[in-house]
Amino acid sequence: MPSALPGGGASLADGRAGVSGGEIQPRNIIDPLERCAMTLRSLFVDFNSYFASVEQHEDPSLRGCPVGVAPVAAETTSLIAASYEAKACGVGTGTMVREARRRCPGIQIRVARPERYVVWHHRLMEAIDHAIPVGRVGSIDEVACELVGRQRRREIAEQIAQQVKDEIALAAPGGAIRCSIGIAPNDFLAKTASDMMKPDGLTVIELTDLPHALHGLALRDLCGIGPSMEARLHEAGITTVAELTAASKLVLRRVWGGIEGERMWGLLRGAWLPTAPTERGSIGHSHVLGPELRTPTGACAVLKKLLVKAAMRMRREEMLSGAMAVRIRFIGHDQRWERDLAFDPTDDSRELLRLLNGVLDSGNRRSPLPGPVNATPLSVSVTLMRLVPRTQSSGSLFAATEDTGRVDALVDRINAKFGYNKLYFGSMQLALEHDAAPMRIPFNRIPDAKSENEATHESEASHDPLWLQTMNRFKAIAEGEHRRREGKDRKV
């Protein structure tokens, strides 16, 4: 018997046929005309204002009221989430707390509780799984599910979407936690569709709807197109989604600078493309400086902490680095300071710190930081590049003869057991005093629990990869907001 599928469908039983009366007869074969109409393959669930919704669910007095969620209790920080009641007043992610209070009198500000958001994430994933198997978890508030067999018929796909909503309502009664769902031929289009009707929406994009169903969107509405990519598209004469969908594969390859342009061309046309395998090319960290660290000394301390973290991660992955990129942004300056340095492959923290000191040597005894004179640093980043497996490098002929790796290995073992900050270099002291640059999990890697074990006051949930992924995204938004506001204040 064919296996049953959610939504009333059945599998094709790998093409085998049944036998009746000596004649071979097809079993569970989908009619070719019906197959042509079954272009839907992805169901994407996006929770609406997730952090604020969890706060409203757990505190019923907040329901129907404007709510903002901030990472810390400070008027100068930015919101990482806002309820739809707050959004109606012009408050959103990235809005500074004091500005949110001005725009939306009566807004309730809550300090983020990552442990509750992680708990509810797992509960909601379990609820979705009752309706359709959970596929790829994109973030703490997004998940893509694959439609198979007769689930790909529009009416059945919509029934499954409604069942997802019903299961969420059962898991979180009261209506505070809701989701928008997109259904489309691939995850990219399904995610796009989920953003087209919020809150609590359901949008379906079929193959026959393309490309005109996308023409009402802005370029930045499409996943993967940020400010820099939008600028590159404009340089290529592409300013609308209609022009983007009309562009040839070759044009998009030129704009994206490689195969990703061809992938975008295919995704826009509904192609089902597996996630491209990635190969580690660099390891790095960045950090938006808090007000107390916006000094040359503070910025240098944070840079060194970021470098040591990157070196520790690199050693855990048995890699060596042959290049370093250092970036510094300053308040009121659009142009960032940057330096790149190449060297013999190494993973020695002390050697990397020596190289960083050389990069930062501005020749100015009054300031340990290069860049514009008397400028205030806003954010810093350091990236180790030209990575090669340790086994594929013979090392430098001029390297020191002693085994410098023993010290790093010892430090790594102690920190892995007792917490990342238990043993550290003295030049990081100021950054540690202000708990700056805690571990962050970028989008493109699976976290290693041992190397993410930072000894701080934060709860275990604060280091959950999905929570940290969200904080990484917020960091970029917050940096842009700080630069905009500080630059504006200086002009005034």
Side-chain angles (χ1 to χ4, degrees):
M1 293 293 291
S3 58
L5 294 173
S11 70
L12 297 180
D14 63 25
R16 293 175 292 181
V19 179
S20 176
E23 296 182 2
I24 299 178
Q25 298 185 3
R27 181 171 63 187
N28 295 321
I29 299 299
I30 299 174
D31 181 86
L33 293 177
E34 184 180 4
R35 187 186 299 276
C36 290
M38 296 169 62
T39 62
L40 303 174
R41 194 164 175 178
S42 176
L43 185 149
F44 194 93
V45 182
D46 182 357
F47 288 95
N48 305 144
S49 298
Y50 178 61
F51 301 149
S53 295
V54 171
E55 296 295 337
Q56 289 177 316
H57 175 77
E58 296 209 336
D59 184 354
S61 69
L62 297 178
R63 297 178 189 176
C65 300
V67 176
V69 179
V72 293
E75 294 297 300
T76 55
T77 191
S78 300
L79 298 180
I80 61 174
S83 68
Y84 276 88
E85 296 83 0
K87 289 178 178 178
C89 299
V91 174
T93 301
T95 304
M96 293 188 69
V97 171
R98 63 188 179 193
E99 178 67 15
R101 295 191 192 279
R102 186 189 69 79
R103 296 182 188 177
C104 187
I107 187 173
Q108 300 295 311
I109 305 298
R110 293 290 185 267
V111 175
R113 300 184 298 158
E115 66 282 355
R116 298 310 301 159
Y117 310 146
V118 171
V119 166
W120 273 104
H121 165 82
H122 293 298
R123 289 181 185 174
L124 295 169
M125 293 303 105
E126 183 179 350
I128 293 172
D129 198 58
H130 292 161
I132 183 173
V134 169
R136 179 181 58 84
V137 177
S139 67
I140 199 168
D141 59 349
E142 295 179 339
V143 60
C145 307
E146 184 176 356
L147 299 167
V148 296
R150 296 188 182 275
Q151 292 179 326
R152 296 172 66 185
R153 289 170 50 184
R154 179 170 183 145
E155 62 271 22
I156 294 179
E158 290 179 341
Q159 290 172 11
I160 296 173
Q162 186 56 53
Q163 186 181 352
V164 168
K165 290 177 177 287
D166 293 342
E167 294 291 346
I168 291 171
L170 287 173
I177 298 179
R178 297 176 292 175
C179 69
S180 292
I181 297 178
I183 302 174
N186 57 44
D187 291 349
F188 171 81
L189 292 173
K191 176 177 172 59
T192 301
S194 70
D195 287 331
M196 293 171 71
M197 186 184 299
K198 287 188 172 184
D200 202 26
L202 171 58
T203 304
V204 180
I205 298 177
E206 297 198 67
L207 204 58
T208 53
D209 298 327
L210 299 172
H212 59 273
L214 306 176
H215 288 176
L217 302 175
L219 289 173
R220 295 278 293 277
D221 291 334
L222 298 177
C223 182
I225 299 182
S228 60
M229 181 54 65
E230 183 181 40
R232 290 165 67 177
L233 286 167
H234 286 177
E235 290 175 2
I238 299 173
T239 59
T240 67
V241 172
E243 292 171 343
L244 177 66
T245 58
S248 69
K249 188 184 301 185
L250 179 60
V251 168
L252 296 193
R253 185 182 180 95
R254 288 173 179 167
V255 173
W256 262 265
I259 192 66
E260 283 304 309
E262 292 191 22
R263 283 181 57 84
M264 175 62 77
W265 186 90
L267 292 172
L268 288 168
R269 285 157 176 77
W272 178 267
L273 301 177
T275 302
T278 58
E279 188 172 311
R280 170 69 71 189
S282 64
I283 292 178
H285 292 283
S286 62
H287 185 66
V288 178
L289 302 171
E292 69 282 356
L293 289 169
R294 292 178 187 174
T295 64
T297 303
C300 285
V302 174
L303 267 172
K304 291 172 183 178
K305 182 180 179 184
L306 296 178
L307 176 60
V308 171
K309 287 199 301 183
M312 181 181 67
R313 283 177 52 196
M314 183 173 62
R315 288 192 293 271
R316 291 200 62 83
E317 297 187 20
E318 297 291 325
M319 305 289 280
L320 301 176
S321 168
M324 180 191 305
V326 183
R327 306 287 185 261
I328 306 173
R329 288 195 179 275
F330 295 89
I331 293 175
H333 295 265
D334 290 332
Q335 192 70 27
R336 68 185 180 185
W337 181 91
E338 53 187 47
R339 287 292 184 276
D340 295 336
L341 177 68
F343 43 84
D344 290 324
T346 182
D347 64 356
D348 182 13
S349 290
R350 288 167 295 173
E351 174 64 10
L352 291 169
L353 284 170
R354 185 188 69 79
L355 292 167
L356 177 62
N357 285 333
V359 168
L360 296 178
D361 184 7
S362 62
N364 182 357
R365 294 186 177 182
R366 295 183 179 180
S367 173
L369 198 67
V373 178
N374 297 325
T376 302
L378 174 63
S379 67
V380 295
S381 71
V382 61
T383 305
L384 297 176
M385 305 179 297
R386 296 186 186 176
L387 302 185
V388 295
R390 184 192 303 276
T391 55
Q392 295 182 18
S393 175
S394 60
S396 171
L397 294 175
F398 305 101
T401 56
E402 68 269 17
D403 184 5
T404 59
R406 287 187 174 184
V407 174
D408 286 325
L410 176 61
V411 171
D412 290 349
R413 284 199 301 272
I414 292 174
N415 286 336
K417 183 174 182 179
F418 298 104
Y420 173 66
N421 293 331
K422 288 300 182 182
L423 199 60
Y424 57 88
F425 290 89
S427 56
M428 299 161 45
Q429 178 66 39
L430 185 58
L432 296 176
E433 288 177 0
H434 295 283
D435 197 20
M439 281 292 185
R440 294 289 184 254
I441 311 296
F443 299 110
N444 60 350
R445 74 181 180 92
I446 298 172
D448 181 339
K450 291 182 180 179
S451 64
E452 304 306 330
N453 178 28
E454 185 157 13
T456 70
H457 61 276
E458 297 176 317
S459 67
E460 291 183 6
S462 299
H463 297 282
D464 181 89
L466 297 176
W467 165 254
L468 292 174
Q469 180 194 71
T470 300
M471 291 303 292
N472 247 16
R473 185 183 299 141
F474 158 73
K475 177 184 65 180
I477 296 173
E479 178 181 338
E481 178 66 12
H482 276 290
R483 288 181 61 214
R484 185 188 68 79
R485 292 188 64 86
E486 295 285 357
K488 182 178 178 180
D489 291 345
R490 279 180 168 251
K491 290 178 181 178
V492 173

